[in-house]
C-alpha cells in the first residue's frame, strides 16, 4: 500500500525571516548573557554631584541608578568610579553600595545585616588633603522584577574630618548590568 502525504507549500526564505529578530527576545538570551545595561553619567557637572560628610555613620551620595530586572533570578553587576576627597589622614573613608527594592528602605546590598567597612576602605597618613578615584564593582541578586535602586553611601570611620564623594569638573558614572542566570522552567 502506498501512502502519500501532502504538505502545504512554504517559502524557505520567508520562514528564515520569521526566525530573524530586530532584537533578541529576552527569553532567548542564554545564561551568562547580558539582558540590559543601564548607565548614568555626571559629565563635569559642577558641585551637583558632590556629597560631603564628617559622620561616622553611612550617608547617601548623589550617585544612584535604577534598574528594572527582566528576570527575578538575574545577577546585577553595579559599577561606578567616583572621585573622592579626604581632609585628614587618621581615619578611614568607607564607601558602600546600598540598594532599595520597590521604594522600600535602603540597605547595604551585599549583606543588609552588616554594612561593616563597605566595599572600599582606605586611609592615608602624613597628608592633610587627598583626592582620589575609587572604583566600586559588585554583584547583587535582588530576586525581583520590580524597581531596584542602587546608591553609593560613604562615611568617615572616626567622624572628625570631612570626606567627599563626587568632584566638580570631573567625569563620573554609574552602571547596572543585568546578567541572565539559569533558564526557568516556565520560560521554556
Amino acid at each position: 500500500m502506498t501512502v502519500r502525504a501532502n504538505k502545504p507549500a512554504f517559502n524557505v526564505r520567508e520562514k528564515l525571516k520569521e526566525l530573524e529578530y530586530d532584537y533578541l527576545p529576552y527569553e532567548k538570551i542564554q545564561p551568562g548573557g547580558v539582558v540590559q545595561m543601564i548607565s548614568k553619567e555626571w559629565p563635569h557637572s559642577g558641585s551637583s554631584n558632590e556629597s560631603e560628610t564628617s559622620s561616622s555613620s553611612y550617608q547617601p551620595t548623589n550617585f544612584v541608578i535604577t534598574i528594572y530586572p527582566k528576570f527575578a533570578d538575574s545577577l546585577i553587576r553595579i559599577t561606578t568610579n567616583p572621585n573622592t576627597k579626604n581632609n585628614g589622614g587618621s581615619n578611614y573613608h568607607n564607601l558602600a553600595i546600598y540598594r532599595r527594592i520597590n521604594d522600600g528602605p535602603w540597605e547595604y546590598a551585599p549583606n543588609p545585616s552588616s554594612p561593616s567597612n563597605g566595599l572600599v576602605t582606605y586611609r592615608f597618613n602624613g597628608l592633610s588633603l587627598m583626592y582620589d578615584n575609587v572604583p566600586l564593582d559588585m554583584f547583587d541578586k535582588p530576586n525581583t522584577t520590580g524597581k531596584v535602586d542602587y546608591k553609593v553611601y560613604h562615611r568617615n570611620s572616626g567622624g572628625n574630618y570631612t570626606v567627599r564623594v563626587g568632584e566638580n569638573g570631573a567625569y563620573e558614572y554609574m552602571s547596572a548590568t543585568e546578567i541572565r542566570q539559569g533558564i526557568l522552567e516556565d520560560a521554556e
Side-chain angles (χ1 to χ4, degrees):
M1 169 187 227
T2 303
V3 176
R4 295 184 191 254
N6 292 323
K7 294 182 181 180
F10 66 92
N11 184 325
V12 173
R13 193 169 303 237
E14 289 300 317
K15 287 292 182 187
L16 287 174
K17 283 183 181 176
E18 289 177 16
L19 298 176
E20 293 178 14
Y21 306 102
D22 289 336
Y23 64 92
L24 185 63
Y26 296 121
E27 294 75 24
K28 301 235 183 246
I29 296 173
Q30 66 184 2
V34 172
V35 177
Q36 64 175 316
M37 190 271 234
I38 308 297
S39 66
K40 187 173 181 181
E41 299 176 338
W42 291 267
H44 315 292
S45 58
S47 62
S48 64
N49 59 332
E50 294 179 357
S51 301
E52 291 188 346
T53 186
S54 58
S55 176
S56 61
S57 61
Y58 279 101
Q59 300 299 310
T61 71
N62 296 323
F63 290 85
V64 64
I65 195 154
T66 301
I67 190 168
Y68 293 83
K70 304 297 182 193
F71 301 98
D73 69 336
S74 287
L75 191 64
I76 308 296
R77 181 180 184 185
I78 304 94
T79 305
T80 187
N81 205 13
N83 290 284
T84 63
K85 176 184 175 185
N86 295 320
N87 287 330
S90 60
N91 294 315
Y92 295 97
H93 188 186
N94 306 117
L95 284 86
I97 295 179
Y98 278 58
R99 81 164 173 225
R100 176 175 67 179
I101 298 175
N102 293 321
D103 295 323
W106 288 99
E107 59 187 12
Y108 180 53
N111 183 358
S113 64
S114 175
S116 181
N117 289 326
L119 293 173
V120 172
T121 298
Y122 68 97
R123 155 180 123 166
F124 59 94
N125 288 319
L127 299 172
S128 61
L129 178 64
M130 179 180 155
Y131 291 89
D132 201 358
N133 183 273
V134 180
L136 300 174
D137 193 4
M138 66 164 274
F139 291 94
D140 186 37
K141 200 163 189 176
N143 296 312
T144 185
T145 56
K147 178 182 178 185
V148 183
D149 299 307
Y150 292 97
K151 182 178 268 201
V152 176
Y153 276 63
H154 71 135
R155 72 176 181 178
N156 171 346
S157 67
N160 61 356
Y161 66 90
T162 302
V163 293
R164 177 195 297 165
V165 170
E167 182 56 38
N168 57 21
Y171 173 83
E172 294 160 310
Y173 71 90
M174 190 169 187
S175 67
T177 304
E178 180 180 0
I179 301 166
R180 181 83 191 263
Q181 298 303 289
I183 305 296
L184 299 174
E185 291 179 23
D186 61 354
E188 294 179 7

